[in-house]
Amino acid sequence: MPSNFIDYVKIYCRSGKGGAGCMHLHRAKYLPKGGPDGGDGGKGGSVILHGNRNLWTLLHLKYQKHIMATDGGKGGQSRSFGKDGEDKIIEVPCGTVVYDGETGEFICEVKEHGEHVVLLKGGRGGLGNWHFRTATNQAPRYAQPGEPAQERTVIMQLKVLADVGLVGFPNAGKSTLLSVVSAAKPEIADYPFTTLTPQLGIVSYRDGRSFCMADIPGIIEGASEGKGLGLRFLRHIERNAVLLFMVPATSEDIKKEYGILLNELEKYNPELLTKARILAVSKCDAVTDKELDKLKKSKALKGLDIPVVFISSVAGQGIDELKDALWTELNKEQNQVIEISHAPIDVTVIESEQPDRSDNSDDEEHTIYLNEVEEEWDLDKYKGIGWDE
């Protein structure tokens, strides 16, 4: 399904090589032995990452498979310096993490607006023969070559920056809640995996204050092993200060579903368990008042040791109470600094999750037509609906 939200790109980067130094001996009409005057070569261009808060996706890099800086110019006579190569600046959204494309090792991350990170440094220019003159070697006939360029294949992943992350099974009411508390317009439907890309919304609070909430596609049991939408979107909750778990009130065992979600997060990254957590029991309008009172008095929910809020996004029940609980957790000192170590990624697994739509021939081979599985084409049952007239 086409989408403008691109949170993964793999590109080849190369810095510029340094220019060679010049080997030149000065000659003039009245100065036949002027000596060496070869200039230095120019510095090669570097590949630099620049954080830009106006970007929210890596879409602009999706079709840029090769990003290369220019080489430095050669030195000239009369100690003329070669031209420096032009740096290649890559604009990336805040929250971009860079890994080595072959080994999966973590390289760097860009978290703040205006932050510069040198991904590949350009080669230094070579020294001209003017630098090598000595009392015993007054006419050196050699110069330094420039340093070679650096090249690397890198994987860029976007991990969205938000204060609150919504975690839950498909159809738990995450998108509905986001649409109610913010101006975001996520797709809402009664089938699983309606949300296919992360959605961000700004939640208004009292006295003009606000915080950012992120909704990711639903998690199912085994998501940490690649099931469902797998590992692709779990990375978007790594930077959240507070995790809001959502389980419908109509579930058979709320505590069990919460435990499954918590287990998947632990398998993906154990550091996620150190974050503040709140459990929101959603869709309370779908149960009777008697059943709701029973849930509120449940010993199993009280024993979870985390704040539990009962809400109904459609009816507007418990929304203000939920905002108060989230704001309280966000302003605690231990939740202010969001630092998380980025473990190496499995390149083979990540690659298998990224569909390649560049070749349309594969789509034709896998097209399944309506009556392809039938033994015979029974056209009589399609008559009378207008297409055969």
Side-chain angles (χ1 to χ4, degrees):
M1 188 173 184
S3 172
N4 287 333
F5 184 85
I6 304 298
D7 60 350
Y8 169 97
V9 291
K10 184 177 182 179
I11 56 178
Y12 167 81
C13 299
R14 189 184 70 189
S15 64
K17 62 182 180 182
C22 177
M23 196 291 296
H24 185 264
L25 299 176
H26 180 68
R27 290 292 183 267
K29 183 176 181 180
Y30 301 106
L31 194 62
K33 296 182 180 181
D37 67 344
D40 302 341
K43 175 184 174 295
S46 302
V47 178
I48 302 174
L49 303 179
H50 178 257
N52 189 341
R53 63 187 173 197
N54 297 319
L55 297 175
W56 66 283
T57 175
L58 297 172
L59 177 65
H60 61 293
L61 299 175
K62 181 178 180 181
Y63 301 106
Q64 284 188 276
K65 300 299 182 182
H66 300 84
I67 296 180
M68 294 173 284
T70 57
D71 299 334
K74 296 180 180 179
Q77 61 185 17
S78 301
R79 296 177 57 188
S80 298
F81 292 92
K83 182 181 179 181
D84 289 342
E86 184 178 354
D87 294 335
K88 188 66 177 180
I89 299 178
I90 306 176
E91 299 283 346
V92 295
C94 300
T96 301
V97 184
V98 185
Y99 299 90
D100 188 277
E102 297 180 357
T103 64
E105 293 292 329
F106 169 75
I107 300 177
C108 63
E109 62 178 326
V110 181
K111 296 186 292 184
E112 299 179 0
H113 176 70
E115 181 179 358
H116 277 73
V117 178
V118 179
L119 185 61
L120 296 177
K121 190 176 182 181
R124 292 182 299 179
L127 300 178
N129 65 338
W130 181 82
H131 289 275
F132 302 104
R133 70 196 192 287
T134 63
T136 56
N137 186 12
Q138 297 183 0
R141 285 173 168 78
Y142 52 84
Q144 280 185 339
E147 286 187 346
Q150 297 180 6
E151 55 183 355
R152 201 172 200 175
T153 300
V154 298
I155 292 175
M156 294 187 185
Q157 288 186 353
L158 174 61
K159 299 182 179 181
V160 296
L161 300 173
D163 300 310
V164 180
L166 300 179
V167 183
F169 288 102
N171 288 105
K174 303 185 299 297
S175 297
T176 306
L177 175 63
L178 185 64
S179 66
V180 169
V181 300
S182 71
K185 302 297 181 185
E187 184 179 356
I188 300 173
D190 58 352
Y191 53 85
F193 294 110
T194 309
T195 303
L196 296 177
T197 60
Q199 302 286 333
L200 291 178
I202 303 299
V203 181
S204 299
Y205 193 61
R206 298 185 179 94
D207 301 328
R209 294 171 292 182
S210 62
F211 56 88
C212 185
M213 180 179 289
D215 174 25
I216 68 169
I219 298 175
I220 63 174
E221 189 171 6
S224 59
E225 301 171 0
K227 294 182 180 179
L229 293 179
L231 306 175
R232 184 176 179 185
F233 296 113
L234 279 174
R235 58 176 172 261
H236 290 294
I237 60 176
E238 286 188 335
R239 295 189 186 277
N240 302 149
V242 178
L243 300 181
L244 178 59
F245 290 79
M246 295 190 65
V247 180
T250 55
S251 302
E252 296 181 0
D253 193 336
I254 296 178
K255 183 178 180 180
K256 180 180 178 182
E257 291 194 8
Y258 168 75
I260 294 174
L261 294 171
L262 204 61
N263 185 50
E264 292 303 321
L265 297 188
E266 183 179 11
K267 288 181 179 178
Y268 175 70
N269 190 341
E271 291 188 29
L272 293 177
L273 299 186
T274 62
K275 296 181 179 294
R277 303 190 295 270
I278 296 177
L279 175 61
V281 180
S282 61
K283 301 183 180 180
C284 289
D285 59 320
V287 297
T288 63
D289 293 340
K290 185 177 180 180
E291 291 174 337
L292 184 58
D293 291 337
K294 186 178 179 181
L295 286 175
K296 291 181 178 180
K297 297 177 182 179
S298 173
K299 294 182 179 180
L301 294 182
K302 291 182 179 179
L304 291 178
D305 226 5
I306 62 171
V308 181
V309 184
F310 296 86
I311 65 170
S312 172
S313 301
V314 176
Q317 175 184 349
I319 299 300
D320 292 337
E321 182 183 352
L322 177 62
K323 288 183 179 181
D324 291 338
L326 292 173
W327 187 260
T328 301
E329 291 294 333
L330 287 173
N331 284 275
K332 289 184 178 179
E333 186 176 355
Q334 62 268 27
N335 298 329
Q336 293 297 311
V337 181
I338 308 172
E339 292 293 341
I340 190 165
S341 59
H342 302 279
I345 60 175
D346 189 344
V347 179
T348 57
V349 174
I350 293 294
E351 286 294 324
S352 64
E353 292 183 353
Q354 308 301 323
D356 186 4
R357 298 296 184 184
S358 58
D359 188 2
N360 296 327
S361 61
D362 294 340
D363 296 339
E364 297 178 358
E365 297 177 2
H366 294 86
T367 303
I368 301 177
Y369 296 96
L370 180 62
N371 292 339
E372 187 177 356
V373 296
E374 298 183 2
E375 295 181 358
E376 298 180 358
W377 286 71
D378 186 6
L379 300 180
D380 293 335
K381 61 183 179 181
Y382 296 105
K383 291 183 177 180
I385 61 176
W387 67 274
D388 58 331
E389 296 177 357

